[in-house]
Amino acid sequence: MTKVYPFKRQALFLVLMLFLCVVPALAADLLTDPVKINVSTPGTLSKSISDSKKNLITNLVLSGELDVHDIQFIREMAGCYDMYGNRTEGHLLKLDLSDVTFKSIAGSSPDQNEQIYAYYKMEGTDAVFKTQVYIRDERQLACAAFLDLPNIREVVLPKDLLYIANEAFKGCVSLDPVTIPSSVIGIAGSAFADCRNFGYFTLPSGLEEISAELFSGCTGLKRVNIPSSVTSIGSSAFSGCTSLSSITLPSGVTSIGSSAFYGCTALTSFTFPAKLEEIGSSAFKRCYNLTSLNLPSGLTEIGYDAFSGCSGVTKLSLPSTLKTIKSSAFYGCYQLQSLTLPASLTDIGGDAFGRCTGLQSIIAKMQNPPICSNDPFTGIDKEECKLYVPKGAYSAYFVANYWGDFAHIDETGIIDHLTVNVDVPGTLADKIGDEQKEWVKSLTVTGTLNDDDIAYIRNMAGFTDGDFCGILEDIDLKNAKFEGSLNFGSCYKLKSVKLPDGLTTIGSQAFYCCLNLVSVDMPSSVDCIESEALYKCGSLESIDISNVQRIE
């Protein structure tokens, strides 16, 4: 036991008391009211604030012209690292730059002599790294301008700003909000990476792309409002956003980059844009809580590991335009029970559906099996899982590498048109049968239908939340009657429908999100169309509403 002498106890007591006195004194001296300064000459902000006061300012409002020297001074006021890895003593929390413009000078470009650096540390290490702070344009926020400033909480950007450069706010873990003017048309990569305090974020209306790693590591981010002008999502744009539970991408987005939503474990659903053509590698890897994947018509390629580890997925719908599924694309989706591969598929990589141990049936609509250099179906029980192939294709699949390993290969074929009379409501499923339900392309139904029959037709037409998913495109119900409600929402395969004579009302969300619906043949008896009946039917070309009295 270490002996503490009385005089040492007294010394420790005095040190403790001194510390307790200094901390409140410092807090009492902090300036909480806004300090307003106009910088008439770039590089002179430091001359307007004394060294003894700069660390006491918590709220700063600036106007005039700033260069990189001024930005460095602001960084010091906000508690940045120095080149030795020590934090400055600044306490700046709020910064208003709404009336500021930036000036590029010597030292503000990477190829000039004088250089200003932002110093930072990587998480888990004491090593100090640096990146250059520079301004390319007077309407651009400098690269790394506010990199790794943990104190800063609120920032208002210049009202005429056009661009936010890379890493501008990266690592500002307390920041929320940042006010971005509507004039901004470009935000570079990692600009807001690791801003963990973001909850909700609205991007400016003129933005055309979500840059790489823009929100990577923003663990508190729950929702992002993305403008309709955006057409691409960059690599790792939202990776590690573990609180992001839902997100809506504009219909014009054509590509989702690699690792774009990697590890977004709170995502439970995702609406894929109608014009999407490519999903990059690992784009949704380890999104454990996604349950249903309804991939849009027009998609041609799914990248490596794109949905690997999405263990919650139970429903998967692949579009008729898909040509390539890369290796391990759906690896470990072990709750998936059935799979339909489109006729357009020409390339499928090794382990594409590896460890999808719940698969009980695979419908392969390709007349010729794709040549596989490695087994796409490792870990699947090929003694129990049934493989259904087109008529006349049995022998080709039987002799093909990996396809021929399935013990049960059954031939079937696409049915161009089927006519069914339902004499007893609720018996449509029995009339069509399990062997035909996923292969019917055009269907005419007469008789009386109830809600069970409508639900069955929905599944035939591509609705993915049911027991199966078919290829039905055209429905003729002109001579049918309904006992239940008319509901064909989210039938992504549906292209045309003829509604029954005598129908008076098209109910709420009747064709909601039928993305490929082109025409609706509506009888003259319809006088009411309820709310969202045709919402998100972006492909609709013809519908006669001349007799409709009320549209909600």
Side-chain angles (χ1 to χ4, degrees), residues 384-426:
E384 295 296 328
C385 182
K386 293 183 178 181
L387 176 62
Y388 297 94
V389 301
K391 285 184 178 180
Y394 174 85
S395 58
Y397 279 86
F398 181 75
V399 300
N401 282 334
Y402 309 116
W403 300 98
D405 295 341
F406 287 89
H408 303 282
I409 302 177
D410 295 331
E411 277 191 349
T412 183
I414 293 176
I415 300 169
D416 289 327
H417 185 79
L418 183 67
T419 300
V420 178
N421 178 59
V422 181
D423 48 1
V424 178

Side-chain angles (χ1 to χ4, degrees), residues 93-94 151-155 169 172-179 195-202 220-221:
L93 305 178
K94 299 180 181 180
N151 294 337
I152 203 79
R153 295 179 186 176
E154 298 179 21
V155 175
F169 293 95
C172 291
V173 294
S174 300
L175 182 63
D176 189 30
V178 55
T179 302
C195 290
R196 299 169 188 170
N197 201 41
F198 284 169
Y200 303 94
F201 202 98
T202 297
L221 189 64

Side-chain angles (χ1 to χ4, degrees), residues 224-276:
V224 180
N225 292 325
I226 301 176
S228 60
S229 51
V230 168
T231 59
S232 66
I233 308 298
S235 59
S236 300
F238 296 94
S239 64
C241 292
T242 53
S243 297
L244 189 66
S245 57
S246 66
I247 187 169
T248 301
L249 300 185
S251 59
V253 169
T254 59
S255 65
I256 296 177
S258 60
S259 300
F261 295 92
Y262 186 113
C264 291
T265 52
L267 270 182
T268 57
S269 63
F270 192 91
T271 301
F272 292 89
K275 295 182 180 180
L276 189 65

Side-chain angles (χ1 to χ4, degrees), residues 60 266 448:
L60 182 62
T448 304

Side-chain angles (χ1 to χ4, degrees), residues 20 28 42 50 114 116 176 195 363 366 379 437:
L20 292 175
S50 68
E114 189 181 2
I116 303 295
D176 189 30
C195 290
I363 297 176
M366 307 83 70
K437 63 185 181 183

